[in-house]
Amino acid sequence: MLPRPHKLTSSADFKTAMKQGVRAGSRTLMVHVYPRPDEVITGGPRFGLVVSKQVGNAVTRHAVSRRLRHVVVQRGVVDKLPRNYDVVIRALPKSATATSDDLARDMERAITKALNR
């Protein structure tokens, strides 16, 4: 479970991050990174996950979601970004067969690529 201060919760925040943010992809993930213009930031960086039916059945989608949350929290992705960033991570179909290490490596590469644009 992502801690509350690190969750994107509203659909408006998801839409803003996906439409106005910088997009970068990898073999298993598409990442949208959006720097919030808020002057007063509480919590953050905030993350949202999108795991569609293209990834697989419900069991597969939940497993991918758990692995992605684990990568964000346990592998320190949260600590590497400034507080004012919103990140939407969209799982691609190949993420169903990827290991946690593959997802972590792909996520770090995609976020680095997006931040450098």
Side-chain angles (χ1 to χ4, degrees), residues 20 33 65:
Q20 296 179 15
V33 178
S65 295

Side-chain angles (χ1 to χ4, degrees), residues 79-93:
D79 301 328
K80 295 177 184 174
L81 288 173
R83 293 177 52 160
N84 67 324
Y85 277 83
D86 286 346
V87 180
V88 175
I89 302 163
R90 191 164 46 97
L92 299 177

Side-chain angles (χ1 to χ4, degrees), residues 12-117:
D13 290 339
F14 269 87
K15 286 179 186 174
T16 301
M18 291 182 79
K19 290 195 187 247
Q20 296 179 15
V22 176
R23 182 177 68 183
S26 67
R27 185 179 67 84
T28 58
L29 304 168
M30 182 66 66
V31 176
H32 303 266
V33 178
Y34 174 69
R36 285 178 286 167
D38 302 346
E39 291 188 20
V40 178
I41 305 291
T42 57
R46 299 184 306 177
F47 292 85
L49 303 177
V50 178
V51 184
S52 73
K53 286 186 179 182
Q54 292 177 345
V55 173
N57 62 18
V59 174
T60 303
R61 291 192 312 269
H62 289 298
V64 169
S65 295
R66 280 193 304 274
R67 279 188 259 140
L68 289 172
R69 282 193 301 268
H70 172 78
V71 167
V72 168
V73 175
Q74 300 299 324
R75 302 253 178 137
V77 175
V78 168
D79 301 328
K80 295 177 184 174
L81 288 173
R83 293 177 52 160
N84 67 324
Y85 277 83
D86 286 346
V87 180
V88 175
I89 302 163
R90 191 164 46 97
L92 299 177
K94 291 200 180 217
S95 65
T97 57
T99 65
S100 292
D101 290 334
D102 294 337
L103 292 173
R105 191 172 29 258
D106 286 350
M107 186 183 304
E108 287 175 10
R109 277 190 205 140
I111 289 174
T112 302
K113 212 187 305 185
L115 291 175
N116 290 332
R117 287 188 181 173

Side-chain angles (χ1 to χ4, degrees), residues 1-10 42-47:
M1 205 60 183
L2 282 172
R4 181 89 175 134
H6 296 291
K7 276 187 190 180
L8 269 179
T9 54
S10 76
T42 57
R46 299 184 306 177
F47 292 85

